[in-house]
Every structure is written in structure tokens, then in C-alpha cells.
């Protein structure tokens, strides 16, 4: 094993202190290589956890204090008990320890046996008089595995415009897509990008993976005409003007080649929703809104207050007047009262969006989809946004989430997202995480968790330092998984983990053990431990969502033709001569095509219904996916019409229109939802998928 890395490795005492707080002092980018973390990275990570290791004396004192604390501690702040196993923490209690448990359901127990699922309050009293209080998470042993194979469509919602949307896809379009795909195509699910609330202010960060809040959805996705109060706005001239402007915005994207302009869409919808807000709610609607306010409580009030304050002071709370930086300060309380109407406006928007999301999932299930809508949970939030302000005691100050250097990125990555503090999560019984999951599962038939490895550990990068000078910080994976399984089980939802790239040994096994599906993308599925050739379909794992591509990768047509290499060359993103890149891409695609041909999936004479050679190849790729035992198979909706442009090109910012492209055909002409429904190319591909899957929902997955 070789060892290399930055200078100043941690001392023995610092390494021991770091270990006791879950801070790594090294990492392994490959099985035969270990890279030490720098003493600086370890020291700064500990500081973000409230541990002073700035000097040798401070390190020694902190280590002694931590060892005394752990030696005296009866229980950790959160204890996990899987329903089919004994809790190690409870089993380690001294003989004769008395338990007092107050369950979520309001019962009192003296034993942890046969407890109902939930997060309960536990008090332990040892024979020597020591006591400890803890949160007790009781979770089912695993999520139920889908018993039948289903296929579905993957789409970035903003890119799916209909002739009714206002310049970007909306929740009305999503409901329409699910109703059509479920009823006419036999699809079992539709997966969309994160719909979390964005940081306001022009220009808005278009990435759905840097939201202001993950807890609440973004009202930019509302179908305004579907809000009941919109029909009662008492200003027909303004309504007519809004609809005319919406039409021009839509036509600019669909007919004139303009990019999706999220800021323009939001400006228009905000103006319309201000009119809607002035319409009194009827008794039934008022009661439903009151229920929503009561259910969401302080979290919604904080969320809406942040947006009201952002209208006055700008969208980065770190630059607000000092008193307003604290959500619990007297200054914030006064401002909330003064801005009461604006706070109510943003509460109302959250309710309306939640309602339309719930209606879309209901439409999907009524259309026969066994799963429905698969929502996406981003890995973190914007440091200046609503969640970071409202939950700042749970975030690690001065730290950002990223990724260490690897074979694909020698400089590492810094995603600019503050990480949750594992100690504060445990002390709170994982309350912010639980409430987040509960909110999403209310309208999600399944949840895709971006960078699911973050349930186990995250790469923390100190602000002002490059990603190479970060280190891993570990989370209590048992608790994170138990809360996830608990809340998903309660909702009857599937969970899909995005586990692409470098994954710590054992992580995929632990996720599978608890019923969390993985993600398998065709081009990455090779026999890496053997000859490196394409992995035969029968060797794929069953517990996964299998796809040909993702939003961060080239569409299948681009991959097969090598167009993605030419795009990266035009943008100056290549690190090798373009001829080498072309040759490698052609060899990769050629090897896969030859493999498909050997399996009899590509006969070279064209595809279904006289399809072109390109269409036949794309159909063959998807026939292959259906040959695997994967329980879910996803079809990238732009692949259905030959779109060649990735929705996001990692490594670019303003060089490429990331997150702003409508779905288009092979010539780059935008394709509406109505045109998708009538596309012969789409129907030919999806008929292949349905036929290969024995009717989509009907085939039982193996494994």
C-alpha cells in the first residue's frame, strides 16, 4: 500500500481526538492507496464541531475531556433499535438499569421490546444512580422491495413545456405527463429533478441542486390557472395582460430558440400570485390552509419569514443587519410582525405548491402507476438561504461539502453547500432530517437521494481552502438509515440512492440490506474487477434503478455518435488532444454496440417501425436494460426524441446553458408535451421497452 498526501499529518493525540469525533485523518481513493488528511483540515473540521485543537495543549485537554465524557456516558443522544434486532447501545447498559420510555403514541413503557415504530423518548437509570436521556428510533428492518418490474420516464421538469405552461415546465405539465404515461404507455413512474425552493433574486442560480430550502417546494413550479382563487381575481385586464405575457414567454422558448428564463417566469407568476393572494379563501379552503399552517408550524413560519426578509434585505442572510441573522432574536420577531402580510404570502405559496404536488402524485396513482412521481433530494442547501438561516445551529460553520481528488478530478470538488453537524443531529433526535423526509414523502411515490453516500460520511472543505485540503466527517449511518426507513415505510414510498462514483466499501451492502435501491448507468457497468468489458445483463444487481444516462451525462444519441466529445472540445473542456478523446469515445460506444449485437438486441437492419440506425441503437440499449434484473428501468425522456444536448455539463458555468434547455429533437427544435404525445419516435422506443419488459408493470423482477 502506498501513502502520499499533504504535509503536516495529524499528531497521535490529534488523530485520536479526531477519531472520537468522527473526523477522518486519511482516506483511500482506491483500495491500494491511502492519502493522509492535513493537520489543518482535521483541526478546522474539529473546530466546526466545537472542539478546540488549535494547540497541543488544547488538543490534549479536548482529548481528555472527550474520553471522560464517553467513559461516563450511559447512552448516546440517539439510540437505534431495528424491529428485528436488539439495540447494541441498550444491550451495553449495566445490569439492572431501569428504562422509562414515552412513545410517540403517548404510551409509557418500561421495556424496549415490541415498541411501535417511531422516535420515542428514553430515560435510563443505572444502579449506581447515573441517568441518561436519549431519543430512541425504532424502525422496521427494511423497506419492502418492489415485487414487480416497472419502467418510467426521467425528466427535468423545467424542460418539459406544454402549450399551457408559462415559459418553463410546471406542475400542471407534470400531472398531464403522469396521466398520459401511466394510462397510455404503461409507465410505472416519472422521475423529476429537485423541486426545492430556490434562492430568490436575479439572476437566480438555475441549478436545482443548490436550493434555499429542501424542506419546502418552489412556487415557480405552480400552474397558476389551477389555483382555484385565480378564477376569482377581480381585475380581468391585468389577468389578460398576464396571460398574454405568459404566451410570449412560452413562444420565445418554443418558437424562437430562447433559453428558459426562470427569473422572467417567476416575475410573471409572482405578479399573478399577488393577485391571487388578495382573493379571500372560502371556508373549506381556509380550513385546509389552517391545517397546513398547524402541521408545518415553526419551520414554515421561519421559511416564510426568511423570504419576507430577503425581499427587504437581499437573499444572503449573512449580510443582513446583525439582529436579523438570528431567527430567534427580538429583532426578527418584530420584523415578522411588521411583515406579517408578506410572511402570509410566502406561507400561502408553500401551501399552494404542496397542494399541486400532492395532486400530481394522486393523478399518477389514479393513472395506474405503482410508484408515481419520484422526487429528488439534493445533497445540501445554499449557505445564504432559508434553511441555513433557520437551522444554523445544525450546520457546520465555515465548512462546505465536496469531494476529494479522484481519477476524474485531480483538484477535487467544492459544492458550496454547508454540511449538517452530526453531533447536533444526534442531540435533536435527527429532527431536521426527519421533518425534511416527512415533507417530501407526503407527495413522493419514491425518493431519489442525491449522493446517498452522504448518509455515511461527507467530505468537508474548510472555507478558503481548496478541496484537496478537506477531510471526511462521519455520520451515524445506522441512525440516518433508521430514520429514512421509518419515514419511507410510513409513507409507503420507495427509496433510490444515487451511489455512482467512488463508494466506501460496505456502503452498498448496508443500503441493500435496508431496502434502499441503488443507481446503475449502462456506460459505467463494466467488469472492473475482471477484464473491464461490458457487464452481462444477468450480472447486474436487481436492487437498482437502471438507466442509459442521467441529467449530468450526454444523452444516448450523443454518446453513440461522439457528439459529446465535440461539444466539450468546442468549450475548451478537454484535457487531452481531441483525437484521443474521439478515439476513446468511439471505442467505448463500439464495444457496447458489438456487445448488444452479440446478444441479438441489435441486428443492424433498423429498429421498430422502420426506425433509423440511430433509433435502432437507442432501442437496443433499452432492450438491454430490460434484460437486466433491475427492479426499475428509467428512460431519459429527451432520448425518446433524439435530443443530443445534456441538461447539465459539469465543469461549466456560463460557457454552457446548464438547467435552461427545453427538451428538443435531433435538430435542436424544442418539442412540447403535446408533440411528445404524438411522436412516432417516442412511441417506437417505449413500445420496445414495454414489449421487452413484458408489459412494463407486469413482469416480476428477478433477484
Amino acid at each position: 500500500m502506498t501513502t502520499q498526501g499533504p504535509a503536516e499529518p495529524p499528531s497521535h493525540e490529534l488523530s485520536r481526538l479526531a477519531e472520537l469525533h468522527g473526523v477522518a485523518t486519511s482516506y483511500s481513493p482506491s483500495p491500494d492507496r491511502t492519502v493522509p488528511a492535513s493537520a489543518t483540515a482535521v483541526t478546522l473540521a474539529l473546530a466546526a464541531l466545537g472542539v478546540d485543537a488549535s494547540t497541543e495543549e488544547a488538543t490534549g485537554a479536548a482529548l481528555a475531556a472527550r474520553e471522560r465524557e464517553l467513559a461516563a456516558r450511559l447512552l448516546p443522544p440517539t439510540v437505534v433499535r431495528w424491529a428485528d434486532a436488539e439495540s447494541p447501545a441498550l444491550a451495553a447498559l449495566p445490569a439492572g438499569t431501569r428504562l422509562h420510555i414515552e412513545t410517540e403514541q403517548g404510551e409509557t413503557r418500561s421495556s424496549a421490546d415490541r415498541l411501535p415504530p417511531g422516535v420515542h423518548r428514553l430515560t435510563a437509570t443505572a444502579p449506581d444512580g447515573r441517568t441518561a436521556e436519549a431519543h430512541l428510533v425504532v424502525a422496521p428492518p427494511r423497506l419492502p422491495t418492489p415485487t414487480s418490474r416497472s419502467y418510467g420516464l426521467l425528466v427535468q421538469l423545467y424542460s418539459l413545456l406544454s402549450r399551457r405552461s408559462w415559459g418553463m415546465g410546471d406542475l400542471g405539465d407534470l400531472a398531464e405527463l403522469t396521466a398520459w404515461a401511466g394510462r397510455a404507455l404503461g409507465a410505472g413512474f416519472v422521475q423529476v429533478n429537485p423541486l426545492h425552493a430556490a434562492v430568490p433574486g436575479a439572476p437566480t442560480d438555475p441549478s436545482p441542486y443548490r436550493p434555499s430550502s429542501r424542506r419546502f417546494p418552489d412556487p415557480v413550479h405552480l400552474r397558476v390557472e389551477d389555483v382555484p382563487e385565480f378564477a376569482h381575481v377581480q381585475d380581468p385586464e391585468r389577468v389578460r395582460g398576464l396571460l398574454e405575457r405568459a404566451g410570449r414567454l412560452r413562444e420565445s422558448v418554443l418558437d424562437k430558440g430562447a433559453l428558459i428564463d426562470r427569473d422572467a417566469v417567476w416575475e410573471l407568476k409572482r405578479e399573478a400570485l399577488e393577485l391571487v393572494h388578495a382573493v379571500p379563501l372560502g371556508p373549506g379552503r381556509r380550513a385546509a390552509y389552517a391545517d397546513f399552517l398547524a402541521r408545518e408550524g415553526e419551520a414554515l413560519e421561519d421559511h416564510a419569514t426568511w423570504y419576507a426578509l430577503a425581499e427587504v434585505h437581499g437573499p444572503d442572510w449573512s449580510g443582513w443587519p446583525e439582529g436579523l441573522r438570528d431567527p430567534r432574536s427580538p429583532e426578527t420577531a418584530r420584523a415578522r410582525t411588521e411583515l406579517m402580510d408578506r410572511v402570509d404570502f410566502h406561507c400561502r405559496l408553500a401551501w399552494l405548491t404542496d397542494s399541486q404536488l400532492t395532486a400530481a402524485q394522486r393523478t399518477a396513482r389514479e393513472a395506474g402507476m405503482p410508484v408515481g412521481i419520484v422526487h429528488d433530494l439534493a445533497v445540501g442547501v445554499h449557505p445564504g438561504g432559508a434553511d441555513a438561516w433557520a437551522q444554523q445551529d445544525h450546520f457546520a460553520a465555515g465548512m462546505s461539502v465536496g469531494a476529494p481528488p479522484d481519477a476524474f478530478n485531480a483538484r477535487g470538488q467544492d459544492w458550496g453547500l454547508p454540511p449538517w453537524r452530526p453531533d447536533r443531529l444526534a442531540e435533536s433526535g435527527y429532527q431536521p432530517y426527519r421533518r425534511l423526509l416527512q415533507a417530501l414523502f407526503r407527495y413522493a411515490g419514491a425518493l431519489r437521494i442525491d449522493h446517498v453516500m452522504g448518509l455515511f460520511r461527507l467530505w468537508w472543505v474548510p472555507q478558503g481552502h481548496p478541496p484537496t485540503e478537506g477531510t471526511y466527517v462521519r455520520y451515524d449511518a445506522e441512525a440516518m438509515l433508521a430514520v429514512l426507513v421509518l419515514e419511507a415505510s410510513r409513507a409507503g414510498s420507495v427509496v433510490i440512492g444515487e451511489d455512482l462514483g467512488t463508494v466506501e466499501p460496505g456502503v452498498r451492502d448496508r443500503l441493500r440490506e435496508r431496502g434502499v435501491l441503488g443507481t446503475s448507468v449502462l456506460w459505467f457497468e463494466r467488469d472492473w474487477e475482471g477484464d473491464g468489458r461490458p457487464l452481462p445483463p444477468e450480472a447486474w444487481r436487481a436492487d437498482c434503478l437502471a438507466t442509459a444516462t442521467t441529467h449530468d451525462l450526454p444523452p444516448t444519441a450523443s454518446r453513440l455518435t461522439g457528439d459529446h466529445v465535440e461539444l466539450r472540445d468546442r468549450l475548451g473542456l478537454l484535457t487531452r488532444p481531441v483525437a484521443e478523446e474521439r478515439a476513446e469515445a468511439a471505442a467505448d460506444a463500439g464495444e457496447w454496440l458489438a456487445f448488444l449485437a452479440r446478444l441479438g438486441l441489435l441486428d443492424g437492419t433498423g429498429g421498430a417501425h422502420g426506425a433509423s440506425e440511430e433509433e435502432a441503437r437507442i432501442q437496443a440499449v433499452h432492450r438491454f436494460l430490460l434484460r437486466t434484473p433491475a427492479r426499475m428501468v428509467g428512460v431519459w425522456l429527451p432520448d425518446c426524441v433524439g435530443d443530443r444536448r445534456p441538461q447539465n455539463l459539469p465543469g461549466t458555468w456560463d460557457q454552457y446553458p446548464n438547467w435552461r434547455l427545453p427538451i428538443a429533437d435531433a435538430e435542436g427544435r424544442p418539442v412540447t408535451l403535446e408533440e411528445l404525445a404524438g411522436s412516432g419516435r417516442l412511441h417506437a422506443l417505449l413500445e420496445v421497452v414495454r414489449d421487452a419488459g413484458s408489459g412494463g408493470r407486469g413482469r416480476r423482477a428477478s433477484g
Side-chain angles (χ1 to χ4, degrees), residues 224-308:
V224 174
E225 296 95 326
D226 289 351
V227 177
E229 288 73 33
F230 185 69
H232 302 288
V233 172
Q234 299 298 309
D235 195 338
E237 288 299 318
R238 283 193 69 186
V239 169
R240 188 179 304 112
L242 287 168
L243 295 176
E244 288 174 356
R245 287 163 57 195
R248 289 194 295 271
L249 200 54
R250 177 174 57 246
E251 289 161 11
S252 69
V253 175
L254 294 176
D255 304 327
K256 299 179 181 178
L259 297 174
I260 291 170
D261 187 342
R262 181 193 183 99
D263 293 329
V265 172
W266 174 237
E267 181 182 353
L268 194 60
K269 289 191 177 181
R270 183 190 54 75
E271 188 175 336
L273 292 166
E274 297 279 8
L275 297 177
V276 167
H277 187 232
V279 177
L281 296 172
R285 295 273 289 166
R286 169 60 63 184
Y289 180 42
D291 283 350
F292 180 78
L293 293 173
R295 185 185 73 197
E296 298 304 322
E298 184 179 75
L300 176 61
E301 188 175 68
D302 285 344
H303 176 78
T305 298
W306 184 91
Y307 276 86

Side-chain angles (χ1 to χ4, degrees), residues 6 82 90 92 109 131 167 274 318 344 351 373 388 410 473 507 621 636:
W82 299 101
L90 296 180
R109 303 281 186 93
T131 63
E274 297 279 8
S318 65
D344 183 69
W351 172 58
I373 299 171
V473 175
V507 164
V621 164
W636 180 237

Side-chain angles (χ1 to χ4, degrees), residues 52 96 216 226 292 390 560:
D52 183 5
F216 295 99
D226 289 351
F292 180 78
L560 291 171

Side-chain angles (χ1 to χ4, degrees), residues 56 76 117 137 167 214 224 227 235 253 263 267 307 327 372 395 459 478 502 549 571 604 655 690:
E56 288 184 12
V137 181
R214 297 188 296 172
V224 174
V227 177
D235 195 338
V253 175
D263 293 329
E267 181 182 353
Y307 276 86
F395 285 101
W459 184 257
E478 282 298 287
T502 303
T549 191
L571 296 174
Q655 309 100 306
R690 291 186 72 179

Side-chain angles (χ1 to χ4, degrees), residues 63-411:
L63 176 58
R66 181 64 169 170
E67 288 175 336
R68 285 195 303 271
E69 175 197 346
L70 293 176
R73 190 169 75 180
L74 276 179
L75 290 171
T78 292
V79 174
V80 171
R81 190 184 194 284
W82 299 101
D84 64 343
E86 189 175 16
S87 165
L90 296 180
L93 288 170
T97 298
R98 298 192 311 276
L99 301 182
H100 177 81
I101 301 168
E102 297 175 13
T103 72
E104 270 190 7
Q105 295 77 16
E107 301 172 340
T108 300
R109 303 281 186 93
S110 59
S111 168
D113 294 335
R114 296 185 295 279
L115 282 171
V119 181
H120 314 303
R121 290 296 303 169
L122 165 67
T123 302
T125 304
D128 62 6
R130 287 180 299 156
T131 63
E133 292 188 352
H135 304 273
L136 176 60
V137 181
V138 178
R142 59 176 285 123
L143 292 167
T145 301
T147 56
S148 61
R149 154 74 55 77
S150 66
Y151 95 90
L153 302 174
L154 318 177
V155 64
Q156 300 284 286
L157 180 56
Y158 59 82
S159 72
L160 179 71
L161 278 76
S162 70
R163 288 292 175 184
R164 295 183 179 179
S165 44
W166 290 19
M168 62 181 279
D170 61 31
L171 293 174
D173 297 320
L174 178 58
E176 198 74 43
L177 175 67
T178 58
W180 166 63
R183 295 178 187 279
L185 304 176
F189 62 91
V190 169
Q191 178 180 304
V192 295
N193 54 287
L195 303 183
H196 310 316
V199 177
T204 301
D205 185 340
S207 172
Y209 291 93
R210 274 174 61 84
S212 172
S213 172
R214 297 188 296 172
R215 170 77 182 267
F216 295 99
D218 197 318
V220 75
H221 299 112
L222 281 169
R223 170 66 63 83
V224 174
E225 296 95 326
D226 289 351
V227 177
E229 288 73 33
F230 185 69
H232 302 288
V233 172
Q234 299 298 309
D235 195 338
E237 288 299 318
R238 283 193 69 186
V239 169
R240 188 179 304 112
L242 287 168
L243 295 176
E244 288 174 356
R245 287 163 57 195
R248 289 194 295 271
L249 200 54
R250 177 174 57 246
E251 289 161 11
S252 69
V253 175
L254 294 176
D255 304 327
K256 299 179 181 178
L259 297 174
I260 291 170
D261 187 342
R262 181 193 183 99
D263 293 329
V265 172
W266 174 237
E267 181 182 353
L268 194 60
K269 289 191 177 181
R270 183 190 54 75
E271 188 175 336
L273 292 166
E274 297 279 8
L275 297 177
V276 167
H277 187 232
V279 177
L281 296 172
R285 295 273 289 166
R286 169 60 63 184
Y289 180 42
D291 283 350
F292 180 78
L293 293 173
R295 185 185 73 197
E296 298 304 322
E298 184 179 75
L300 176 61
E301 188 175 68
D302 285 344
H303 176 78
T305 298
W306 184 91
Y307 276 86
L309 289 170
E311 292 176 345
V312 179
H313 300 287
D316 184 353
W317 63 270
S318 65
W320 291 356
E322 185 174 356
L324 298 179
R325 296 175 203 167
D326 178 359
R328 304 290 163 252
S329 72
E331 292 89 342
T332 298
R334 282 195 298 272
R336 183 181 290 121
T337 301
E338 294 165 359
L339 297 170
M340 187 178 300
D341 185 65
R342 301 310 300 162
V343 172
D344 183 69
F345 174 68
H346 292 288
C347 286
R348 185 86 66 91
L349 295 188
W351 172 58
L352 294 174
T353 313
D354 184 273
S355 299
Q356 288 195 6
L357 282 162
T358 303
Q361 171 63 5
R362 184 167 57 248
T363 297
R365 298 304 294 269
E366 289 172 351
M369 288 188 170
V371 175
I373 299 171
V374 182
H375 284 278
D376 198 346
L377 174 61
V379 72
V381 294
H382 194 287
D387 282 3
W389 175 75
Q391 302 171 16
Q392 55 193 274
D393 55 333
H394 281 84
F395 285 101
M399 289 288 158
S400 175
V401 175
D406 56 27
F408 301 100
N409 193 327
R411 294 186 296 272

